[in-house]
Amino acid sequence: MPKFSEAVAPSQAFLYGEHAVLYGSPALAMSVDIKTRARITEVEDKIIEIKSDKFSQGLKWRYDRERPEESPLFPLASGLMDLMRRYEFNRGLMVEISSEVPVSSGMASSASTSAAISAAFLSLIGEKPEKSLLLDIVYDFERRIHGKASKTGPACAVLGGLVWVEWRDERMEVSRIDPKRDLSIAISCSGLPSETKKLVSMVSKKYNEMRDVMERIISAISIVTLEGRRAIESGDLVRAGELMNINHGLLSAMGVSNHVLDDIAWMMRKFGAYGAKLSGAGGGGCVIGLSDDPEMLAKNLSASYLSFAAKVSLEGAKVIK
Ligand code: MEV
């Protein structure tokens, strides 16, 4: 039987602070119990093969002689190659990815996939990394995939729970916080792709063109995020929801919402969500609604948009085989 290892990692819902976190603001996100699984099998030749149930075409090449083709799986392949070099692994690998996380949805499917792959690879070679090392590895993958990125998605995928990201001395620090009450959300997908790299550079262009305006929006998001943390830690979901609504408005002002995302957010509020906002880079992807009854909220939205309920994943990336 060839040597193999398998790991799972959760995804993310951004409660407060996306985009602004790339400009020095804090962020608060929830690790979501919708997961990616990666199975890695050692193979004889110097072949790497990556297959994912999210893409019809896989990627396969001999890494001692060829470069992998351009493919949506290419950034994962190059992250994996980096990891192999770092640990002086020079045999072949077959990577099989299966994921419940919609791609380009703002749910950090890339961080969830990178965390599952990294955890499975390290277990295959007999390493038991500290969480902080795994987080750094997944953050490397994330920057390779998106260019500019925060540690929020990697932290949700690696640590689990509610993740707080803040800047100290020009460095992003990550910790977990405890909500006073259990948090549950409904997630509705717009059906439009959320292209993180494109949106991050669009916001950066706007920042350079209208620095005064953008700095005020970012500073308002920063206050909303700090207040949102307080509301969640004290169990005040009404206030937490109201702050999510404000955060959505500020993201609209930044130019990353659109009429579909606004429509979903308004439907969620109409159907009783404490609050609703786009999650992640925007431009498409998902909207999240904070609710005591996320199944009912998702059911109400599901005639128009693919919708489901989600809970906090208390566990981060984990080796299962
Ligand atoms: C993307 O999910 C959220 C952004 O803030 C980028 C990041 O935090 O890495 C736009």
Side-chain angles (χ1 to χ4, degrees):
M1 175 95 170
K3 219 165 130 190
F4 75 94
S5 184
E6 209 167 312
V8 288
S11 52
Q12 153 206 271
F14 235 109
L15 295 172
Y16 308 100
E18 52 272 86
H19 287 290
V21 68
L22 300 175
Y23 297 84
S25 285
L28 177 57
M30 167 177 159
S31 179
V32 167
D33 62 351
I34 295 171
K35 298 188 177 166
T36 303
R37 176 186 287 243
R39 180 185 171 102
I40 303 196
T41 309
E42 191 176 307
V43 296
E44 276 306 312
D45 291 328
K46 292 184 187 294
I47 287 177
I48 300 180
E49 182 169 8
I50 305 183
K51 297 188 231 173
S52 162
D53 64 351
K54 291 286 186 245
F55 299 99
S56 54
Q57 274 207 311
L59 199 54
K60 186 174 178 179
W61 80 105
R62 273 203 72 120
Y63 67 84
D64 56 339
R65 295 190 202 149
E66 303 158 355
R67 267 180 64 76
E69 289 163 24
E70 272 307 318
S71 138
L73 295 167
F74 178 78
L76 286 177
S78 91
L80 181 62
M81 286 290 293
D82 227 30
L83 208 51
M84 288 166 63
R85 273 192 293 273
R86 184 159 163 180
Y87 287 91
E88 296 175 357
F89 179 89
N90 47 26
R91 290 175 297 279
L93 292 174
M94 180 166 74
V95 182
E96 293 161 284
I97 303 161
S98 55
S99 185
E100 302 161 352
V101 190
V103 176
S104 300
S105 63
M107 290 180 68
S109 68
S110 58
S112 169
T113 307
S114 310
I117 290 180
S118 306
F121 171 75
L122 292 169
S123 149
L124 182 85
I125 61 168
E127 294 282 331
K128 289 196 172 64
E130 295 285 332
K131 293 262 182 205
S132 58
L133 173 61
L134 190 57
L135 179 60
D136 285 343
I137 290 172
V138 176
Y139 186 45
D140 280 347
F141 267 80
E142 200 66 351
R143 279 180 295 185
R144 202 176 279 275
I145 297 169
H146 299 302
K148 201 170 168 191
S150 76
K151 288 190 175 171
T152 321
C156 285
V158 171
L159 306 179
L162 280 192
V163 166
W164 178 251
V165 178
E166 68 186 332
W167 289 83
R168 275 194 229 133
D169 303 326
E170 315 265 305
R171 278 179 53 84
M172 256 181 277
E173 302 281 339
V174 168
S175 53
R176 274 181 58 151
I177 67 160
D178 288 323
K180 183 146 182 204
R181 288 170 60 185
D182 283 348
L183 289 188
S184 53
I185 55 171
I187 301 179
S188 280
C189 299
S190 64
L192 306 168
S194 173
E195 295 168 288
T196 304
K197 205 169 182 170
K198 196 168 124 193
L199 284 138
V200 166
S201 79
M202 191 204 87
V203 171
S204 157
K205 185 164 176 276
K206 206 171 253 189
Y207 183 85
N208 292 328
E209 285 165 4
M210 304 187 175
R211 204 171 172 126
D212 280 358
V213 175
M214 290 296 274
E215 271 178 355
R216 282 168 175 81
I217 296 173
I218 289 164
S219 136
I221 292 178
S222 183
I223 297 166
V224 164
T225 304
L226 288 161
E227 290 289 323
R229 173 178 174 162
R230 271 187 213 120
I232 281 172
E233 284 180 320
S234 65
D236 189 344
L237 298 190
V238 173
R239 191 169 167 81
E242 198 173 335
L243 289 158
M244 285 170 71
N245 292 340
I246 296 172
N247 197 162
H248 182 83
L250 291 164
L251 287 163
S252 283
M254 271 187 168
V256 299
S257 189
N258 58 33
H259 71 283
V260 182
L261 299 174
D262 290 350
D263 180 46
I264 301 176
W266 281 111
M267 280 175 81
M268 284 188 164
R269 293 168 195 150
K270 186 181 98 185
F271 286 118
Y274 289 112
K277 64 178 278 294
L278 71 85
S279 171
C286 295
V287 175
I288 57 170
L290 185 64
S291 170
D292 291 329
D293 192 350
E295 280 83 14
M296 183 52 79
L297 185 57
K299 196 161 167 243
N300 281 323
L301 270 288
S302 60
S304 314
Y305 300 101
L306 171 69
S307 304
F308 39 91
K311 285 197 169 56
V312 179
S313 167
L314 292 174
E315 279 185 329
K318 173 171 101 169
V319 174
I320 50 170
K321 277 182 198 161

